[in-house]
Amino acid sequence: MRLALRELRGGLAGLRILAVCLVLGVAALAGVGSLASAINAGLAERGQFLMGGDVALRLSGRMPSAAQRAAAAEIGTVGDVVKLRGMVSRVDGGDSVLAEVKAVDASWPLYGSVVLESSEKFGPGMAAAQPALADKLGLKPGDKLQLGQATLTYAGTLAQEPDRAGDGFGFGPGLVVSAQDLERAQLITLGSLYTSELRVKLKPGVSVDAARQRLEAVAGDGGNGGGRVRDRSNGAPGTRNFVTQLGQFLSLVGLTALVVAGVGVAGGVSAYLGARTRTIATLKVLGADSATVRAVYLWQLALVSSVAVLIGLAIGAATPAAVAQFAASSLPVPPATSLQWGALAQAAWYGLAIALSFALWPLAEGAGMPAARLLRSLTEKRARPGAATLAIIAAAAASVLVLVVALADQQLLVMGFLAGALGLIAVLWALAAGVKWLAARAPKPKSTLMRLALANLHRPGAPTRNLVVALGLGLTLFATLATIEGNLASQINRTIPAKAPNFFVLDIPNDQKTAFADLVATAAPGGRTVIVPSLRGPITAVNGVPAQQIKAGPEAWILRGDRGLSYAADFPEANTLVTGKWWPRDYAGPPLVSIDDDAATALGLKIGDSISVSVLGVDITARIANTRKIDWQSMGFNFAILFAPGALEAAPHGWMATVQVPADTERGVARALSARFPTASVVRVKDVIGQVQILLGQLSAAIRAAASVTVAAGIAVLVGALAAGARARTYDAVLLKLLGATRGQVALATLAEYGLLAAIVSALALVLGSTAGWFVVTWIFKLDWTPDWPRVLITVGVGAVVTVVLGLAGNWRALSARPASVLRQL
């Protein structure tokens, strides 16, 4: 320890690279983990505010029964909230805009407070809008709005809405009205798509568990089956799942960056030990054995690594506050202010374990060489580490992998990602070895400078392998992201608009189906309209087993919440029959159902099995007649659950339609539909695509930010490799100058070397990144392959330029070395 501290007084030299690499990797992991954990902690802390109560009973397509209201009143103060979509417009003219309408009673909000930008007060006859809706309609306090059959006065823009994040994703901006005004608007008719909630603020002494049990006991009361009970512990489940999954993915990207940083750690340790060659040799001449030397430098590495990890943790710990300060509008809730010790501990262990894994190999090589070989030559081949060292390296690496998988929510996904990342590293390592092998056996160019450049790729101590692995991994990740983003942008900007209808129209009254079709035909002759029946309801049982008792993974999405339901006599377009037979058009037997083949596989269902679905509180049990493969890209109405004729027609329901009209008639058709059918919701596909583009843009920015750490780590590896080979480069340059080469010629040889290396790394990144992007797009997203090649080529091209520039800059000192001063030190 004394020897280690004494030597550290002389400076860190190559250990700076180790420190930078660890700071980058640990900061990325700690930052992503802390932010996701802080947001989830914020969601938990504000669960009452986000959900609007301590417990809530949610019903789909129906209002609470008297028994359900009485049960809620027994346990606390009750608030009524109804959510649905509606078209809103200014009374003085203008287009109608789709809004997510929230109708509330006088008790809203049970927790928190509502703040308007104006001095008006919200109440019956008034409406308050979220900023996006106010901007669209150009609203100011006192303006008159038309919602369905009701005329409302605009109270002001919502500056604070405590339960906004709990509302989840919507097709339009929010509008808040009173429950009385919702009745006047007449937006709810038979078959309308809406949800109602009984929110409860518990009385003192009533526990959340007891309240849940009381509401669950009446969730299926009085023909109002299928109610879902939730509590404040998970006030915004959709937001929590999204944050957790995105945080997990970004953590994996950060872990990849840390692995790249590990290569830099190995390079930094090699550089440091290379600068200490004479010191190590002197210690050995004076009697120090390999174990003593190894312990001295292991202490130094441990001290520097610990400080670097602490700096990375400090940056990561500050990330939630920094994001909250500069990007508060992008967060669902303010992150918790407390330190996220679990995320920080995880990042610290990953950093230290990976530092140990990558540092032990070069440390064991340097410490194990005899003094004579250390003093003899820079190119002496080093001995490989012993079995004990290899076992420690394997154990450290395995601990990281096991911990990552054990802490993951979706372990199969994480295992697949890790397998892909490790496989990519192995491929890059093998390709790098192949590059050195080919460079050694390739025909010698006539140009002296090109021969020098080619020889530098395979000479003893060449950094080719480390650079190909580190820079190749970072550039491959960026090329993959560029390929995926280009495909998604192409789908959203070109493919989807070409296939999609102009409008989706929801909640068409049951008795006005024909009038709707006639209006579209009159307003836009030649337009195409497809109208289908629309209902909603949850699956309540599978083969007689209640849905709540079925333990299934994330792929069993069909069991979660309400599902869109419909019925059809003819086999639907954009579907493929997988198993079973389609029913006759005039079928009139017991209830039959057709379900999505992926959902059937997830639940282990086969032809003849049964499922029970709650439709307006009535359980309908049907036998599975067939399964279908659904093309979800068809941009039409697709139903995972489709009944045969005779089962649902008698239930009150509405209709949904897709409307395809010429572009020049789109605005007129929208106005005519809103005026003639005020209770229907007209969803413009362009608006939905715009929202998706904004969301994907935010996701891409987050992913690129995490991936940039990988590239930064790769650059640190390049710098470390340059530092490790600085002495050898200097001696090479001096010898070439003694033999008559000018500094310009040596610089051109270096430029050619790094140009070749950049071309190799960029080509590998292009091939591997495009292949990975193709797999994700076609097999995971199941989209058409429409790559944006300019975007991908620019990405890898910039990486190539950066590699060449840094290579020249890092070697400039060696190129500028004066032979006389260097030779005096030999």
Side-chain angles (χ1 to χ4, degrees):
M1 185 65 171
R2 286 197 303 274
L3 287 172
L5 291 174
R6 187 174 299 163
E7 190 164 5
L8 282 176
R9 295 173 193 167
L12 297 179
L15 292 185
R16 292 193 187 95
I17 302 301
L18 177 147
V20 169
C21 288
L22 281 181
V23 168
L24 283 172
V26 173
L29 275 175
V32 169
S34 293
L35 182 60
S37 180
I39 292 176
N40 281 332
L43 290 172
E45 291 174 0
R46 299 175 58 86
Q48 295 166 318
F49 298 87
L50 298 176
M51 196 183 72
D54 295 302
V55 291
L57 172 63
R58 174 177 290 186
L59 303 165
S60 179
R62 52 201 177 275
M63 294 294 183
S65 67
Q68 289 167 338
R69 291 184 182 278
E74 290 176 8
I75 56 178
T77 304
V78 182
D80 272 284
V81 175
V82 178
K83 299 177 184 177
L84 72 165
R85 299 182 185 93
M87 305 300 294
V88 61
S89 63
R90 297 174 61 104
V91 171
D92 56 6
D95 294 337
S96 296
V97 174
L98 179 69
E100 297 287 338
V101 180
K102 179 161 62 180
V104 299
D105 63 7
S107 65
W108 180 79
L110 293 174
Y111 284 99
S113 59
V114 175
V115 178
L116 301 181
E117 293 181 357
S118 67
S119 58
E120 298 283 344
K121 289 189 176 181
F122 174 78
M126 310 290 284
Q130 291 178 0
L133 182 60
D135 291 342
K136 271 189 176 183
L137 295 176
L139 297 175
K140 60 183 184 298
D143 288 344
K144 298 296 183 181
L145 299 177
Q146 190 69 37
L147 177 67
Q149 304 294 339
T151 301
L152 306 172
T153 301
Y154 185 60
T157 303
L158 289 161
Q160 180 176 306
E161 184 184 0
D163 57 348
R164 180 184 300 180
D167 292 338
F169 178 81
F171 286 111
L175 180 74
V176 180
V177 301
S178 74
Q180 300 172 20
D181 294 325
L182 179 62
E183 294 180 11
R184 291 198 299 118
Q186 300 178 21
L187 293 180
I188 297 179
T189 59
L190 290 176
S192 293
L193 301 178
Y194 68 95
T195 60
S196 62
E197 278 189 338
L198 286 178
R199 298 176 176 179
V200 185
K201 182 178 182 179
L202 296 179
K203 295 177 180 178
V206 179
S207 69
V208 171
D209 290 339
R212 281 192 64 104
Q213 292 176 5
R214 184 69 184 96
L215 291 182
E216 286 170 352
V218 297
D221 176 76
N224 271 321
R228 299 298 173 100
V229 178
R230 58 194 183 112
D231 61 57
R232 64 194 182 200
S233 65
N234 195 7
T239 303
R240 179 185 290 275
N241 290 338
F242 176 78
V243 170
T244 300
Q245 292 176 7
L246 180 60
Q248 181 173 282
F249 176 73
L250 293 180
S251 294
L252 291 173
V253 175
L255 189 62
T256 305
L258 191 55
V259 171
V260 174
V263 179
V265 168
V269 173
S270 294
Y272 184 68
L273 294 178
R276 298 294 190 273
T277 298
R278 295 182 184 277
T279 302
I280 295 173
T282 302
L283 287 173
K284 290 200 168 191
V285 167
L286 294 175
D289 57 11
S290 296
T292 301
V293 172
R294 186 164 50 245
V296 168
Y297 287 96
L298 188 59
W299 269 114
Q300 295 181 45
L301 296 178
L303 291 170
V304 174
S305 298
S306 298
V307 173
V309 167
L310 287 175
I311 295 173
L313 293 178
I315 296 173
T319 299
V323 173
Q325 178 69 28
F326 299 106
S329 60
S330 299
L331 301 178
V333 295
T337 56
S338 58
L339 290 177
Q340 305 303 308
W341 294 109
L344 296 176
Q346 191 175 343
W349 174 249
Y350 290 160
L352 292 173
I354 287 180
L356 181 66
S357 301
F358 283 90
L360 274 184
W361 188 292
L363 179 61
E365 285 182 337
M369 286 185 67
R373 291 177 62 188
L374 286 169
L375 293 169
R376 187 161 48 238
S377 171
L378 290 171
T379 59
E380 282 282 350
K381 188 174 181 180
R382 298 182 177 184
R384 290 185 176 276
T389 301
L390 294 177
I392 295 173
I393 293 173
S399 72
V400 172
L401 297 178
V402 170
L403 188 60
V404 170
V405 174
L407 296 177
D409 292 324
Q410 298 183 6
Q411 294 183 338
L412 287 178
L413 175 65
V414 170
M415 291 171 66
F417 185 96
L418 292 175
L422 292 175
L424 178 60
I425 291 173
V427 168
L428 288 171
W429 194 269
L431 290 174
V435 167
K436 293 184 69 172
W437 186 86
L438 288 174
R441 290 160 180 78
K444 300 298 183 287
K446 293 182 180 180
S447 168
T448 302
L449 297 181
M450 287 302 298
R451 286 202 302 275
L452 283 173
L454 194 63
N456 279 338
L457 292 179
H458 65 83
R459 62 178 172 79
T464 303
R465 180 171 294 175
N466 284 353
L467 293 185
V468 168
V469 172
L471 291 175
L473 192 59
L475 278 181
T476 298
L477 184 57
F478 254 76
T480 302
L481 294 175
T483 304
I484 296 171
E485 289 177 0
N487 272 271
L488 292 177
S490 175
Q491 293 286 329
I492 292 172
N493 297 327
R494 294 191 294 273
T495 306
I496 290 178
K499 295 164 62 176
N502 303 81
F503 306 105
F504 290 99
V505 185
L506 312 176
D507 293 337
I508 302 170
N510 196 11
D511 59 350
Q512 297 185 36
K513 172 186 173 184
T514 303
F516 178 89
D518 293 342
L519 176 61
V520 174
T522 302
R528 182 171 183 265
T529 303
V530 177
I531 305 177
V532 297
S534 167
L535 302 94
R536 290 190 71 79
I539 293 179
T540 56
V542 176
N543 287 327
V545 179
Q548 295 88 341
Q549 299 179 15
I550 298 175
K551 295 182 179 180
E555 64 276 4
W557 51 267
I558 199 168
L559 293 180
R560 295 195 295 271
D562 292 338
R563 301 261 65 86
L565 308 174
S566 190
Y567 56 88
D570 298 318
F571 191 77
E573 297 179 4
N575 284 232
T576 304
L577 191 67
V578 178
T579 60
K581 295 181 179 179
W582 190 254
W583 43 74
R585 294 194 82 255
D586 57 352
Y587 179 79
L592 296 178
V593 70
S594 173
I595 68 171
D596 173 59
D597 186 66
D598 291 335
T601 301
L603 294 175
L605 297 176
K606 59 184 182 301
I607 303 302
D609 288 345
S610 68
I611 63 171
S612 298
V613 180
S614 176
V615 180
L616 297 178
V618 178
D619 277 357
I620 298 176
T621 301
R623 183 174 59 83
I624 298 175
N626 56 73
T627 63
R628 294 165 289 122
K629 195 73 174 177
I630 301 174
D631 179 11
W632 297 104
Q633 299 180 54
S634 62
M635 297 306 296
F637 287 119
N638 291 298
F639 294 90
I641 303 173
L642 197 59
F643 281 83
L648 300 180
E649 285 91 328
H653 64 278
W655 300 83
M656 299 190 299
T658 58
V659 179
Q660 183 81 50
V661 296
D664 57 348
T665 65
E666 182 175 313
R667 187 173 183 181
V669 171
R671 285 188 168 185
L673 290 174
S674 297
R676 177 67 178 80
F677 305 100
T679 61
S681 300
V682 181
V683 182
R684 294 180 75 245
V685 172
K686 287 182 181 177
D687 294 340
V688 177
I689 290 175
Q691 286 185 280
V692 172
Q693 286 174 324
I694 293 173
L695 180 62
L696 287 178
Q698 293 173 336
L699 286 175
S700 297
I703 294 171
R704 280 196 300 269
S708 64
V709 180
T710 307
V711 176
I715 292 173
V717 171
L718 173 59
V719 174
L722 295 174
R727 286 200 304 159
R729 289 279 184 177
T730 300
Y731 294 149
D732 288 347
V734 165
L735 290 175
L736 289 172
K737 287 178 182 180
L738 288 174
L739 294 173
T742 65
R743 185 170 68 175
Q745 289 176 317
V746 178
L748 284 176
T750 304
L751 178 64
E753 175 191 350
Y754 281 92
L756 283 172
L757 186 62
I760 292 168
V761 171
S762 299
L764 290 176
L766 179 62
V767 173
L768 295 173
S770 300
T771 303
W774 168 83
F775 177 81
V776 171
V777 169
T778 58
W779 287 87
I780 296 179
F781 291 166
K782 299 189 183 301
L783 297 174
D784 296 330
W785 174 244
T786 54
D788 184 357
W789 289 116
R791 182 196 299 250
V792 181
L793 292 173
I794 289 173
T795 299
V796 297
V798 169
V801 171
V802 170
T803 301
V804 173
V805 171
L806 288 177
L808 277 177
N811 283 289
W812 195 253
R813 185 176 180 181
L815 298 176
S816 304
R818 296 183 179 278
S821 61
V822 173
L823 291 174
R824 278 195 294 269
Q825 298 174 11
L826 287 176

